[in-house]
Amino acid sequence: MANAAHRPCSICMEPMAPSGAHRGSIACMHAFCGACLTGHVRAKLESGRAGAVGCLDAACAGKLDPELCRAALPRDLFERWCAALRESMFAGARRTYCPFPDCSEMMVADGAGDTVTQSECQVCRRLFCAQCRVPWHAGVDCAAYRHRDTAREDAMLMEMAAGRKWRRCSKRQFFVEKTDGCLHITCR
């Protein structure tokens, strides 16, 4: 039988020692075991509703405080929750992300109305183009960069088409691959 000091978790009903009971909010007195608290926060993150995670007690309107939950949560989950909370603070704002895969920090446009191109990531300190969302293309404006990038992609497609012996429809110029049958091309 459980010790009188061991109260059951309100979710899983497992007995908890006072050191294992976690309160997630100053606004309410509800306490839960670490496993239930972790599962609740993880479920909210996965469902995309991590902006304001409520108390696990359905009758309570209290919101969980990340700092009070920190000790009960795995570090990676706590960090993902904090990142989601930061993003939710800027809902509706014009956001951009650092294009470098090893950074990907979120940034908010200042709302001055000007078209921002050259920007510096506040975390990794590398330059990027906020319009094209790519590393900074020095000496080339955005339109020329996009045109050059499109031309490079077109050249790669033409090279692949030649290598695979694709032909073009004479009417609409779609690429066609012969898999079997005669040499007649019927445009779709």
Side-chain angles (χ1 to χ4, degrees):
M1 184 169 158
N3 184 333
H6 288 71
R7 294 185 11 202
C9 170
S10 299
I11 301 299
C12 67
M13 302 309 289
E14 290 291 320
M16 315 181 279
S19 62
H22 301 281
R23 281 185 51 223
S25 173
I26 295 173
C28 70
M29 297 303 294
H30 300 113
F32 306 94
C33 71
C36 288
L37 190 59
T38 296
H40 181 64
V41 172
R42 182 171 283 124
K44 292 294 183 182
L45 272 171
E46 289 172 0
S47 69
R49 297 180 307 202
V53 178
C55 175
L56 283 74
D57 188 303
C60 181
K63 301 294 179 206
L64 296 184
D65 180 343
E67 284 303 319
L68 288 176
C69 298
R70 181 181 215 151
L73 300 175
R75 183 177 177 180
D76 67 313
L77 180 63
F78 177 75
E79 289 173 357
R80 282 189 5 219
W81 185 20
C82 289
L85 286 169
R86 280 193 303 273
E87 279 209 30
S88 72
M89 290 170 50
F90 299 105
R94 231 181 55 193
R95 295 181 276 186
T96 190
Y97 295 86
C98 178
F100 295 97
D102 61 335
C103 181
S104 301
E105 184 69 18
M106 180 192 74
M107 290 163 272
V108 178
D110 62 5
D114 298 332
T115 301
V116 178
T117 53
Q118 183 177 345
S119 298
E120 179 183 20
C121 175
Q122 298 302 305
V123 174
C124 71
R125 297 294 198 210
R126 290 179 280 189
L127 293 177
F128 69 97
C129 178
Q131 286 296 114
C132 300
R133 296 185 170 125
V134 297
W136 181 240
H137 43 80
V140 180
D141 68 8
C142 295
Y145 175 81
R146 281 192 289 271
H147 176 71
R148 185 175 70 188
D149 207 35
T150 302
R152 183 176 35 220
E153 288 173 1
D154 287 349
M156 287 171 50
L157 176 64
M158 296 304 278
E159 186 179 321
M160 184 173 72
R164 294 187 178 183
K165 297 185 175 150
W166 293 349
R167 300 291 177 250
R168 286 192 140 177
C169 159
S170 58
K171 186 174 182 182
R172 294 204 177 105
Q173 299 298 308
F174 288 127
F175 280 108
V176 179
E177 178 181 25
K178 180 180 184 241
T179 54
D180 60 5
C182 68
L183 297 177
H184 178 75
I185 296 175
T186 303
C187 184
R188 55 181 165 153

